[in-house]
Amino acid sequence: MQVIIGIGGVTNGGKTTLTNRLMQALPNCSVVHQDDFFKPQDEIVVEDGFKQYDVISALDMDAMMNTINAWKKNPIKFERSHGINTLDARTIEDSEEKDTTIHILIVEGFLLYTYRPLIDVFDYRFFLSIPYEECKKRRSSRNYAVPDPPGLFDGHVWPMYVKHKKVMEDLQVDVVQLNGTRSKEELFNHVYGYIQNSLEELMKMLS
């Protein structure tokens, strides 16, 4: 059985931290990070003096969808190639029996819920939000490979977040809203419990 979980939301909202905790706790769990699919810098459009990283056109979404589809086609092979030890994987893969174990893919990123082909792959969608001031403080304290130029947060990053959040709402995407100011432990316990309960219900329905 395959389950795909989206962990989306605002920059510096705690998506990666939550994803890493879930990956360690959930069985046969792989992760796809949207940040791994940025186009080369020379392909990023410049507007109003800023490189437009916080838009869907800055990402190679075809490559991202191909990666997700590769997992869907063969999660065991995907898990092996990413160093994840799947229980009895060789036995299942080498036999003609149907794989009845749960395989989970977490897709983590800042623009998960405005791109219809991606929206439709998720079984569960979570969205992390934090207030403007908290987000700005967290963003300024982080070290990026390409440092933020002065004015980027107010001139591009936050306005794009607000814009894309509205697109998500206009599309009526069904998400579980998460308060990113809660402690890491609280967020993990809430999301992990939600997923566990949902999987148990799903297994009951299938049995």
Side-chain angles (χ1 to χ4, degrees):
M1 184 173 71
Q2 298 181 358
V3 176
I4 303 181
I5 299 165
I7 305 289
V10 67
T11 177
N12 299 104
K15 299 183 298 295
T16 304
T17 301
L18 176 59
T19 296
N20 290 340
R21 286 288 307 275
L22 290 170
M23 185 183 179
Q24 293 169 359
L26 293 168
N28 307 325
C29 187
S30 303
V31 175
V32 169
H33 296 284
Q34 192 171 42
D35 282 0
D36 292 340
F37 297 92
F38 276 112
K39 293 176 181 176
Q41 277 205 56
D42 58 3
E43 293 182 28
I44 305 297
V45 174
V46 177
E47 284 182 21
D48 301 322
F50 300 119
K51 280 187 174 284
Q52 302 291 296
Y53 282 105
D54 290 64
V55 294
I56 203 78
S57 59
L59 297 154
D60 187 344
M61 293 304 296
D62 287 341
M64 185 175 180
M65 293 305 300
N66 287 341
T67 301
I68 293 169
N69 288 330
W71 177 87
K72 289 175 70 177
K73 183 178 179 182
N74 194 330
I76 293 173
K77 186 176 179 181
F78 189 97
E79 287 159 7
R80 281 187 179 173
S81 69
H82 289 74
I84 297 162
N85 294 319
T86 304
L87 186 65
D88 296 330
R90 183 173 296 280
T91 307
I92 295 165
E93 196 170 40
D94 293 344
S95 76
E96 307 221 341
E97 290 179 34
K98 188 173 176 61
D99 179 11
T100 57
T101 56
I102 295 175
H103 297 276
I104 297 171
L105 179 68
I106 298 177
V107 181
E108 177 267 327
F110 69 105
L111 271 183
L112 301 187
Y113 308 130
T114 59
Y115 184 71
R116 179 56 69 183
L118 184 55
I119 293 169
D120 292 342
V121 305
F122 296 118
D123 298 291
Y124 307 107
R125 305 175 192 88
F126 297 91
F127 189 87
L128 278 150
S129 301
I130 53 176
Y132 164 84
E133 290 294 345
E134 177 66 19
C135 189
K136 189 172 184 177
K137 184 175 79 173
R138 291 187 189 184
R139 178 94 181 191
S140 64
S141 67
R142 259 178 87 173
N143 294 316
Y144 288 94
V146 180
D148 284 354
L152 180 72
F153 184 83
D154 287 315
H156 175 62
V157 174
W158 187 259
M160 285 297 102
Y161 162 67
V162 172
K163 177 183 176 180
H164 292 128
K165 187 169 184 285
K166 185 177 187 308
V167 170
M168 177 186 79
E169 291 165 352
D170 289 346
L171 289 172
Q172 297 183 318
V173 181
D174 183 21
V175 298
V176 177
Q177 297 281 353
L178 301 174
N179 179 356
T181 63
R182 293 172 69 186
S183 72
K184 296 173 185 177
E185 201 64 30
E186 284 179 315
L187 279 170
F188 168 74
N189 288 336
H190 175 67
V191 175
Y192 181 72
Y194 183 101
I195 294 169
Q196 285 290 87
N197 289 337
S198 299
L199 291 177
E200 285 173 12
E201 288 298 314
L202 192 58
M203 294 300 284
K204 284 179 187 173
M205 289 169 60
L206 294 173
S207 62

